[in-house]
Amino acid sequence: MLKILVTAVIGLAAFSVNAQTGFSIKGKIPAKYDGQKVMLEYRTEKQEVKDSAVVKNGSFSFKGKVNAVVKAYLNLKPTEENKETANNDDFYSRNYQTFFLENTNISIVGNQISNATIKGGPAQSDYLLLKSQLKSLEAKQMVLNEQVMRSFRNSKEDSTSKDAPNEFAPQLQRLYSEIGKVQNAFIQQHPDSYVSLDLINERNDGAVELEKLKRDLKRLSPRMKNTAIGKNLQVKLAMAEKTGIGQQALDFTQNNTEGKPVTLSSLRGKYVLVDFWASWCAPCREENPTVLKAYQKFKDKNFEIISISLDDKKEPWLKAIEADGLPWIQLSDLKGWKNSVARLYGVTSVPQNLLLDPNGKIVAKNLRGEELQMELDKIFN
């Protein structure tokens, strides 16, 4: 099954560095964009920053200061007069670009934001190098993604071909593998680069793969490990080691839909799937029918599910349980991302899950789609 992972949580990485004079951005694009706003957005350790500049005589500029190298986002916003046209125009919808912002002079030159050449400090130079190495692969990815979406739209119109996008899964997997190889080589060759740090951080924004994170952190220079993001990755590694395959599951107690406490260890003697989700998480809701199918097949074979919801309001949580027909144990403290069990297990994106054996030991993680059915088939058949 073709998997499209949407992460529930999206953030721009910030990295510690000695800040001195500040940054100066000067942009040059065609004068036909005069009057439109260019938006500059980035996230620091403490806040999300948004700034704007109006294009005048084909030029725009920004000034400011950052206390860290940050991955920033530049976007050309249409005016009210042409917003309706712009919303239907791929040119406008794609008129954005990411770059690395640091306290230096930065130039932006192009016929639109999306393909402008952005020159700045050392981090941006590294980023341009990586982009050049990935250019041909990302072009293939764009074409393939368009084919997948076209096939998906066709499958919705024709019920007899609802699984048509599956034909692209092997091609996408091969392409992702090739992109990963290029990124790995870049990290290996540039251990002291903020771009390498960013690549590793992005890989671990959701579910952490323990061995891969260990390998990646070993590749980083001491300077990168000592940044805020580097230290956070080390915290994630420590958490992943506590909740990795082969480890004893951390016990917890949380209330069910009726407000009654349920403790994980009370289910010892059974295989248990601990499933993290939320009513507002589209990929979670798409995954629920697959989980339900597995539950119905194995519930009488010493198998149970505990779902931990990252909702913060009871009504949508209960409505989603009813709408999706989920008959297993449902728990939540209704604290959203501050859910105590999610924090205990270092969960920063959903869906995620853990499969425990009858002794409470973690035997598998993040089983999605057919993987869950296959793992349970191996256990029970």
Side-chain angles (χ1 to χ4, degrees):
M1 182 184 208
L2 178 61
K3 304 172 194 171
I4 299 176
L5 176 63
V6 180
T7 30
V9 178
I10 298 174
L12 296 175
F15 312 98
S16 297
V17 71
N18 290 329
Q20 295 181 5
T21 57
F23 64 81
S24 175
I25 300 175
K26 292 186 177 180
K28 191 71 178 174
I29 55 177
K32 65 180 180 180
Y33 297 116
D34 281 4
Q36 294 183 223
K37 283 185 178 180
V38 177
M39 304 297 299
L40 173 66
E41 301 178 27
Y42 56 92
R43 183 180 294 278
T44 68
E45 287 183 59
K46 296 182 179 179
Q47 63 179 339
E48 184 175 348
V49 179
K50 294 184 179 182
D51 198 0
S52 65
V54 177
V55 180
K56 185 177 181 181
N57 297 324
S59 299
F60 62 90
S61 63
F62 295 93
K63 284 191 175 183
K65 186 176 181 180
V66 290
N67 295 320
V69 175
V70 295
K71 194 174 183 183
Y73 178 93
L74 205 64
N75 186 27
L76 181 67
K77 293 287 186 182
T79 60
E80 289 297 325
E81 290 76 13
N82 62 21
K83 184 176 287 187
E84 185 174 346
T85 303
N87 286 340
N88 297 313
D89 187 345
D90 281 348
F91 169 77
Y92 281 105
S93 65
R94 296 176 181 175
N95 214 344
Y96 62 88
Q97 190 175 162
T98 56
F99 70 102
F100 281 80
L101 174 65
E102 53 191 296
N103 293 320
T104 189
N105 294 326
I106 297 168
S107 67
I108 301 169
V109 180
N111 56 28
Q112 60 190 59
I113 297 295
S114 59
N115 64 12
T117 298
I118 303 179
K119 294 183 179 180
Q124 180 62 13
S125 296
D126 286 347
Y127 188 49
L128 292 177
L129 174 61
L130 177 62
K131 286 176 69 175
S132 69
Q133 294 172 350
L134 290 171
K135 187 175 181 179
S136 61
L137 291 173
E138 290 184 339
K140 290 179 183 178
Q141 183 182 10
M142 185 175 293
V143 171
L144 197 52
N145 284 342
E146 289 175 355
Q147 291 175 332
V148 170
M149 293 308 298
R150 192 180 307 117
S151 180
F152 181 74
R153 286 193 295 269
N154 291 340
S155 71
K156 294 195 95 175
E157 296 172 4
D158 180 5
S159 59
T160 63
S161 62
K162 62 182 180 179
D163 293 326
N166 287 350
E167 65 184 281
F168 297 103
Q171 298 175 63
L172 281 168
Q173 285 300 111
R174 286 194 296 271
L175 191 57
Y176 294 151
S177 178
E178 289 300 310
I179 290 173
K181 288 177 183 178
V182 173
Q183 292 174 335
N184 285 336
F186 184 91
I187 294 168
Q188 188 76 37
Q189 295 162 12
H190 301 85
D192 196 46
S193 172
Y194 290 101
V195 177
S196 296
L197 183 59
D198 177 61
L199 286 172
I200 296 172
N201 188 55
E202 285 190 346
R203 289 177 179 181
N204 295 279
D205 188 43
V208 172
E209 294 187 51
L210 178 59
E211 293 307 316
K212 287 184 179 179
L213 179 53
K214 271 186 182 178
R215 177 202 64 196
D216 286 343
L217 280 175
K218 284 181 180 178
R219 291 173 172 172
L220 287 177
S221 70
R223 186 170 75 105
M224 289 299 106
K225 289 178 184 177
N226 200 42
T227 61
I229 290 298
K231 290 177 181 177
N232 187 53
L233 286 169
Q234 292 173 69
V235 170
K236 285 188 175 184
L237 176 61
M239 177 60 70
E241 287 176 329
K242 283 194 218 175
T243 60
I245 293 174
Q247 297 297 312
Q248 196 70 23
L250 303 172
D251 202 13
F252 60 80
T253 300
Q254 200 157 96
N255 287 350
N256 63 16
T257 56
E258 297 176 350
K260 296 178 180 179
V262 176
T263 300
L264 175 63
S265 57
S266 68
L267 296 173
R268 287 285 172 82
K270 294 185 177 184
Y271 280 90
V272 179
L273 184 75
V274 181
D275 181 47
F276 294 90
W277 76 300
S279 67
W280 43 259
C281 168
C284 304
R285 304 293 294 277
E286 290 171 5
E287 193 76 12
N288 277 342
T290 303
V291 180
L292 178 59
K293 184 178 178 181
Y295 179 76
Q296 290 171 334
K297 183 175 181 179
F298 298 106
K299 65 179 181 177
D300 297 324
K301 295 186 177 183
N302 210 35
F303 175 64
E304 186 56 87
I305 299 176
I306 288 185
S307 281
I308 311 296
S309 171
L310 273 66
D311 278 273
D312 58 9
K313 292 183 176 59
K314 190 170 185 176
E315 186 177 357
W317 174 42
L318 296 181
K319 282 185 177 179
I321 293 170
E322 182 179 3
D324 294 358
L326 310 180
W328 54 82
I329 300 168
Q330 301 287 339
L331 309 180
S332 183
D333 58 12
L334 299 176
K335 293 181 180 178
W337 287 109
K338 294 181 180 179
N339 181 287
S340 61
V341 181
R343 286 193 161 190
L344 181 68
Y345 279 86
V347 172
T348 57
S349 70
V350 285
Q352 286 193 52
N353 60 46
L354 307 162
L355 182 62
L356 315 183
D357 72 8
N359 295 316
K361 185 176 290 186
I362 300 169
V363 294
K365 295 183 72 171
N366 298 317
L367 299 168
R368 300 286 301 278
E370 295 173 358
E371 293 175 345
L372 175 60
Q373 179 90 22
M374 291 169 61
E375 186 68 25
L376 294 174
D377 275 331
K378 284 194 297 183
I379 291 171
F380 294 111
N381 297 322

